[in-house]
Structure formats: C-alpha cells, structure tokens
Amino acid sequence: MKNFTIYSILFFFLVVSKVIGQETFESEAKRIANKIEKITKEEKEALKEEIEAVNVQLSEGKITQEQADKRKRELAEARAVIIEEKITLAQNELNDLVQKKVDGKIKEDSAKVYMIRWKSFKHNKDSIRGEKRTTSQFVFVMGLNNTLADGKLQDSKYSFIGSHFYEWGFTYNSRLMKNHNLLHAKYGLSLMYNNIRPTDNKSFVVNGDQTDLEVNPIHLTESRFRNVYLVAPVHLEFDFSRPVQNNGKTYFKTHKSFRFGVGGYAGVNVKSKQILKFEEDDLKYKTRIKGDYNVNNFIYGLSSYIGYRELSLYFKYDLNPLFQNNLVKENNISLGLRFDLN
C-alpha cells in the first residue's frame, strides 16, 4: 500500500505539471463532452419510450409485474451497451486530447485569450453574474487500478503501471444552502472501466464457481481483464470558491478554488472481457473473450477527491469483491486524476 501511494502521488504530480493552464484543452474537451451528452440524451429518450411501452403492456394485463421488471432491466442493460459502443469513438478522441495535453502539444490560442481579455475589459462590474443553484459538469477520470486482498495490494499479481481505469459521465452539482457556497450535492451517471493486467504470463480461467489466475500455455505479449460498469456516483462536495460581492449583492460560483468531495457509487456490471495478445509463426493475434467470469453483477463502493478548480486527485474503493464466490476476496482500488468541466 505504501508503494501504491508513493507511485500514485508521483504520477499525479507528473501529469499535473503538464496539464494546467491551456485554454484550448478545455474548449476541445467541452466539444467532445457535448457530443457524448447528445448520445446519452438520445439513448435515454429511446429507453424512456421502451419503458413506457412495457408499462402499457403491464396495464393491459398482457404481462405480469415480474415480467415487466425483468424486461425493464434487460432494456436498461441493452441501452447501456449501446451507449458504451457509441461513446467509444468519442473516448478515443478524448484519450488523444489528454495525451496531447500531457505531451505539451496543445498550445494556448492567443486569439481566443485576446477576445476573453477584451470582453473582460469591455464589461463593467454590473456584468458580474452568479451561477444557477444547480449546474452540470462533464466528468472524465483516468488513473491506476489494482486490487486489495486481506488489506494487501496485489501488485505482484497485476502490473502496477499497466493496470488502468477510466470513468466518464455527467454530474449535477446542487448548492445545498441558499446563502452559502460551501456545501454541494454532486450526483450523476457514469461509465466506469476497470482494467487489470496479470503478470507472469497468466490469464483468468473459470473453474466452476471459481475464477482462477493460471499460467497460460501460450506465450502472451499482453493479458488484460476489463470490467465495464454503469454507476450512479453521489458525493457531498465542499467548495471553497469565494462569493463575489457587487452592489450589495452576493454572487456564487463553483470550481474556482480548492474542492474536496466524499461519497460513493453503486451500479451494475455491463460487460466483462478478457483480452489476450500473442505471436505465433511471425503472426500477431488478439483475442477478446467475453463472459461473466463469475464477476459480481453489482458494484458499490466509496470514493473521494480533492483538488483545485477543475482538476482533482480521485480515489475509489469497491466494498464488494470483484468475483462472487472466490475463496480469496479481491476488492478493486483505484487512484487517478479527475476533470470536472462546467
């Protein structure tokens, strides 16, 4: 656990040193966020119509309550898969954008900055505005992923640097007190990707109700196990952004100073997949094996973040084990960077 903390802090400061202060990153990320938001809204509307059709069948007595509930769950899971597939392209854009940001390839748009400064000079103090009591953000998280068993980090079983997690979605941020900016309720919907990479040429094998990590008879160039979840995160956020006083009025803004949040998440497993790569006779192969792998169908855990403005250090820990009936209980644990973009 000590090594995990040290390496994670180094990872945090390495990335932070390269990603702060460039305007074009935020504008491009917002463009991608709008694309993802459109996809999500369209699929939610489609799901709503499908659910209404099921309710009609239930009210007409064509199906039972149990059948209706089962059908609604199936529809929700199917739409979640569709959302994931449609957002994959946007994810690739976002990953490329983040990589360019980290590599320092994104330069500040001087014309845009000039227009911002010109507008700031043109507007007088009366143009100061507050935010609505409830705002929305696009959230993107990336970082390192592993598991804990009996309180010990399993970094000998899984590659420490090679195991990653990603999360993106949308949140609402509601100020809880009318005349104070400190406390906020933050809640929304996210897709969460947890990846672990077994070491020592091992891969997962299902043996009845047990999922074991065994040496693969083929020499693997890569072994990766991915679980995708649709989760609803909820946090109590403390935002230290100072209110602005103007003409006797108080205006509130968020994400302008230090913030930290504590809370948790709960959701369902959308997909489990094992990805294996190997070479044979000078040919490269890549196999994707989908299955349940005895993975828990539901996920719930604790999460927290602390940071400045849009960027924060994010931690999450699953309270239930990764596999349902394994003798050794492994709980997923992650640490990374979180972007909250208004």
Side-chain angles (χ1 to χ4, degrees):
M1 189 64 184
K2 182 179 179 180
N3 290 338
F4 181 70
T5 304
I6 294 173
Y7 287 134
S8 299
I9 292 173
L10 290 175
F11 170 77
F12 170 66
F13 283 109
L14 176 64
V15 179
V16 167
S17 64
K18 296 183 178 180
V19 301
I20 295 178
Q22 297 182 13
E23 294 289 338
T24 53
F25 174 78
E26 183 175 348
S27 62
E28 189 66 13
K30 285 183 178 179
R31 181 187 66 78
I32 299 173
N34 290 334
K35 180 188 295 186
I36 296 175
E37 183 177 20
K38 182 180 178 182
I39 293 171
T40 306
K41 285 182 178 179
E42 289 175 351
E43 293 303 322
K44 283 183 178 180
E45 287 299 322
L47 177 60
K48 183 179 178 181
E49 292 178 2
E50 291 172 341
I51 295 296
E52 289 177 354
V54 173
N55 289 333
V56 170
Q57 290 181 316
L58 178 61
S59 63
E60 293 176 351
K62 294 181 180 179
I63 57 175
T64 64
Q65 183 67 53
E66 183 179 354
Q67 291 173 324
D69 293 340
K70 181 181 178 182
R71 181 58 180 156
K72 289 178 183 178
R73 285 196 300 272
E74 292 173 346
L75 289 171
E77 292 175 0
R79 284 294 166 186
V81 172
I82 292 173
I83 291 174
E84 180 206 348
E85 291 175 348
K86 287 188 175 182
I87 289 178
T88 297
L89 293 177
Q91 177 200 11
N92 293 335
E93 284 187 63
L94 193 57
N95 288 343
D96 291 341
L97 178 67
V98 172
Q99 189 59 53
K100 288 179 181 178
K101 180 75 170 176
V102 173
D103 294 340
K105 295 180 179 179
I106 299 178
K107 303 301 181 182
E108 191 172 17
D109 188 339
S110 59
K112 180 178 177 182
V113 174
Y114 173 79
M115 289 300 296
I116 292 173
R117 290 175 179 171
W118 181 81
K119 288 176 67 177
S120 298
F121 174 78
K122 181 180 178 182
H123 289 183
N124 56 34
K125 293 183 179 180
D126 293 334
S127 66
I128 296 175
R129 298 178 181 178
E131 292 179 349
K132 294 180 179 179
R133 193 161 175 178
T134 296
T135 59
S136 60
Q137 294 82 38
F138 169 68
V139 176
F140 175 69
V141 192
M142 63 177 183
L144 302 177
N145 193 64
N146 218 290
T147 66
L148 283 179
D150 296 325
K152 297 180 180 179
L153 188 68
Q154 302 299 290
D155 53 347
S156 60
K157 293 174 62 176
Y158 310 116
S159 170
F160 180 82
I161 298 298
S163 299
H164 306 134
F165 85 100
Y166 301 93
E167 180 181 335
W168 64 86
F170 294 89
T171 62
Y172 289 101
N173 187 3
S174 297
R175 179 160 41 91
L176 296 180
M177 293 178 286
K178 183 178 180 180
N179 298 314
H180 203 287
N181 201 39
L182 180 63
L183 297 179
H184 295 254
K186 203 171 182 72
Y187 49 94
L189 193 66
S190 295
L191 275 174
M192 182 186 293
Y193 284 64
N194 292 337
N195 295 278
I196 49 177
R197 293 177 186 261
T199 58
D200 302 323
N201 205 62
K202 293 181 179 180
S203 59
F204 285 103
V205 177
V206 176
N207 297 312
D209 64 351
Q210 298 291 299
T211 303
D212 301 320
L213 197 57
E214 299 181 358
V215 175
N216 198 295
I218 301 174
H219 177 68
L220 301 173
T221 57
E222 180 179 342
S223 176
R224 177 158 39 111
F225 187 54
R226 172 186 293 170
N227 286 283
V228 184
Y229 301 92
L230 181 66
V231 298
V234 178
H235 293 93
L236 176 64
E237 182 175 284
F238 297 81
D239 192 325
F240 294 91
S241 301
R242 292 184 178 182
V244 178
Q245 301 288 338
N246 186 56
N247 292 333
K249 295 183 179 180
T250 302
Y251 299 91
F252 296 103
K253 291 184 177 294
T254 59
H255 301 81
K256 299 299 181 182
S257 185
F258 288 99
R259 301 178 298 114
F260 73 90
V262 291
Y265 51 90
V268 295
N269 177 277
V270 175
K271 181 171 62 179
S272 295
K273 177 168 62 177
Q274 186 163 215
I275 302 169
L276 305 176
K277 293 182 181 180
F278 59 94
E279 296 182 9
E280 192 172 279
D281 298 329
D282 295 325
L283 297 176
K284 295 182 179 181
Y285 297 89
K286 182 178 181 179
T287 62
R288 297 179 176 88
I289 309 169
K290 297 181 181 179
D292 62 19
Y293 287 92
N294 296 317
V295 171
N296 267 308
N297 294 324
F298 300 95
I299 185 176
Y300 57 92
L302 301 175
S303 55
S304 181
Y305 55 89
I306 181 170
Y308 180 74
R309 298 177 71 99
E310 293 88 0
L311 182 65
S312 55
L313 183 65
Y314 179 82
F315 169 84
K316 66 182 180 70
Y317 174 71
D318 293 355
L319 292 176
N320 61 329
L322 176 59
F323 301 106
Q324 295 182 35
N325 301 304
N326 273 17
L327 297 177
V328 177
K329 305 298 182 183
E330 294 184 60
N331 296 59
N332 201 84
I333 185 170
S334 311
L335 183 67
L337 294 175
R338 172 181 174 127
F339 298 87
D340 289 77
L341 303 174
N342 278 307

